[in-house]
Amino acid sequence: MGSNSPRERFYVFTYPRTGSNLLTHLLALDDQPNVASNAEGTRFFLPLQLLRLKHQCLGALAPALPYHQRAEQEKCLTDCFNRLLQHLDTAERDGKIVCFKDHAHYIIEPTAEARLLSGEQSAVDDAPWTLIGPNKLEQTRIGRSDLNETLFSDDFLKTWKPVFLIKHPAAAFPSFYRALVNAAGREFVESDRGWRFYQKAMSLRWVYKLYHFYLEHFRSPGQYSTDDQLPWPIIVEADDIITQPAILVKICQIIGLESSRLRFTWDKMCSDESPGVQAFRKTLFESTAIDPSRAVGDVDLEKESIKWREEFGDEIGCRIETHVREAMPDYVFLKSMRLQV
């Protein structure tokens, strides 16, 4: 393909503790010759989460923030988007694929977050925040559909082919609680603001609605090509990438990666990242291969809920159980649509 020919864009959407770092490591995205690299990394919207963590406003409702905090978040958002746009421009110029992952909650716009967390009418009535170009963030309903609760316009979302990575809530939700305590401290996590952040991060609403947004898009006339290996969007289950290497090969075929570069063993890794970030990557960094014991398998929620109350105490254990049970219908549906060999 010529250097000026545009290549496809693949966005891996997920939620915390699904094994997304493991997936990108196994796919060796940093070692794929036809994938655009970025020296600054490809977690484009992570800086906003770190800013919120630094200022202890994780879980704060953005429409109600003091002016200076809101202004700082807006600037951070446009900076993140500018980095993404530059990455896309460079990839297109070089004729390379764009492929990276983000937790879906990183790119959810603030009024949708407020609807989930508070249901305040004033927040619901606000127009959604929308990134519409370099250094341009507006509150507008123009160019957005009901299923789009992201910071992006519908048109921008439609330029991507999406892969959704999911994992059983009974494994992901308590794991995120442990990691968040290590990153931010138990006092913060058990505060109202910390728990709001937990709810936002672990809501399957974002992935579920994005999946249906793309389902509508790819089912519209002219969007599905018979040359495709399967209809989009694609869902991948975390257990499958642990127990079925053939799934990884299939992902490579779909995206256009070299399966010969799949990484099944590696050396332990060191990191110069902040402790808050390392808390979420510790398992991968301390491993040297896929650990089959980390596959979730069948889950008995009654037995798991007892373990959570014993580990976290009755209040937190019951909270986690409630969120897991609320998420199960979305998870079961998404799992039923997953990619299979």
Side-chain angles (χ1 to χ4, degrees):
M1 179 170 288
S3 61
N4 293 321
S5 300
R7 297 292 295 271
E8 290 184 306
R9 305 172 177 180
F10 300 93
Y11 211 137
V12 182
F13 297 105
T14 184
Y15 46 93
R17 313 310 284 171
T18 53
S20 58
N21 290 319
L22 174 63
L23 175 61
T24 56
H25 189 66
L26 293 170
L27 294 176
L29 293 180
D30 59 326
D31 191 39
Q32 294 284 350
N34 63 339
V35 174
S37 62
N38 182 2
E40 297 181 12
T42 51
R43 290 172 292 169
F44 291 100
F45 289 88
L46 177 61
L48 179 63
Q49 306 304 312
L50 298 180
L51 175 65
R52 290 176 167 177
L53 181 62
K54 177 183 176 182
H55 293 162
Q56 298 185 352
C57 59
L58 285 171
L61 303 183
L65 287 173
Y67 173 80
H68 72 281
Q69 288 190 4
R70 175 169 172 148
E72 193 170 3
Q73 289 194 25
E74 289 177 354
K75 183 180 185 307
C76 183
L77 274 176
T78 55
D79 287 347
C80 291
F81 193 47
N82 289 345
R83 286 178 53 235
L84 174 55
L85 294 178
Q86 181 59 53
H87 183 61
L88 295 176
D89 288 343
T90 301
E92 184 168 338
R93 184 185 67 235
D94 295 341
K96 292 194 173 186
I97 291 170
V98 172
C99 183
F100 65 91
K101 66 95 174 177
D102 252 338
H103 294 319
H105 75 88
Y106 284 8
I107 59 167
I108 296 304
E109 63 86 22
T111 62
E113 175 185 334
R115 282 196 299 274
L116 173 75
L117 297 177
S118 72
E120 294 176 3
Q121 190 61 38
S122 61
V124 173
D125 287 343
D126 282 349
W129 295 27
T130 309
L131 292 160
I132 58 176
N135 299 310
K136 199 164 186 182
L137 174 67
E138 293 186 358
Q139 285 193 251
T140 179
R141 291 187 173 87
I142 298 173
R144 304 181 63 99
S145 56
D146 290 342
L147 289 171
N148 177 10
E149 295 187 318
T150 74
L151 290 156
F152 305 138
S153 67
D154 284 8
D155 285 345
F156 185 76
L157 281 176
K158 290 174 182 178
T159 66
W160 299 86
K161 285 190 171 179
V163 178
F164 294 89
L165 176 64
I166 63 171
K167 187 175 186 176
H168 199 298
F173 285 29
S175 178
F176 183 63
Y177 180 83
R178 297 183 194 102
L180 193 58
V181 167
N182 289 335
R186 186 175 300 277
E187 182 178 355
F188 167 75
V189 180
E190 294 183 0
S191 69
D192 289 343
R193 184 170 291 183
W195 195 252
R196 285 201 301 269
F197 174 70
Y198 179 94
Q199 291 176 276
K200 173 198 171 185
M202 300 313 292
S203 175
L204 264 65
R205 167 194 178 113
W206 317 126
V207 166
Y208 184 85
K209 292 194 75 170
L210 259 178
Y211 175 79
H212 282 84
F213 170 89
Y214 279 111
L215 202 60
E216 282 193 5
H217 167 56
F218 284 105
R219 285 182 175 175
S220 62
Q223 289 303 319
Y224 175 60
S225 168
T226 55
D227 293 333
D228 286 340
Q229 297 182 57
L230 74 170
W232 294 86
I234 292 169
I235 294 177
V236 179
E237 218 286 337
D239 269 15
D240 292 337
I241 68 173
I242 294 175
T243 62
Q244 299 185 49
I247 283 287
L248 296 168
V249 174
K250 192 172 185 70
I251 293 170
C252 288
Q253 293 171 345
I254 292 167
I255 295 177
L257 306 177
E258 294 183 8
S259 59
S260 62
R261 294 178 183 264
L262 284 170
R263 197 180 275 142
F264 293 106
T265 60
W266 54 86
D267 295 330
K268 288 186 178 181
M269 294 172 277
C270 298
S271 173
D272 57 0
E273 295 174 312
S274 67
V277 174
Q278 289 185 45
F280 296 95
R281 293 161 66 85
K282 180 180 179 182
T283 301
L284 173 62
F285 281 15
E286 293 183 351
S287 67
T288 58
I290 294 175
D291 181 358
S293 70
R294 290 192 171 273
V296 179
D298 295 330
V299 175
D300 185 327
L301 284 181
E302 294 298 333
K303 291 181 179 178
E304 292 302 312
S305 64
I306 293 172
K307 294 178 184 177
W308 299 332
R309 288 194 292 272
E310 290 175 348
E311 179 180 357
F312 306 122
D314 286 344
E315 181 179 356
I316 297 300
C318 288
R319 284 185 183 183
I320 291 175
E321 179 185 1
T322 297
H323 289 302
V324 168
R325 291 188 182 279
E326 289 174 348
M328 284 305 297
D330 289 349
Y331 170 75
V332 169
F333 168 80
L334 292 169
K335 184 179 179 180
S336 73
M337 307 298 290
R338 76 190 189 279
L339 178 69
Q340 299 186 62
V341 178

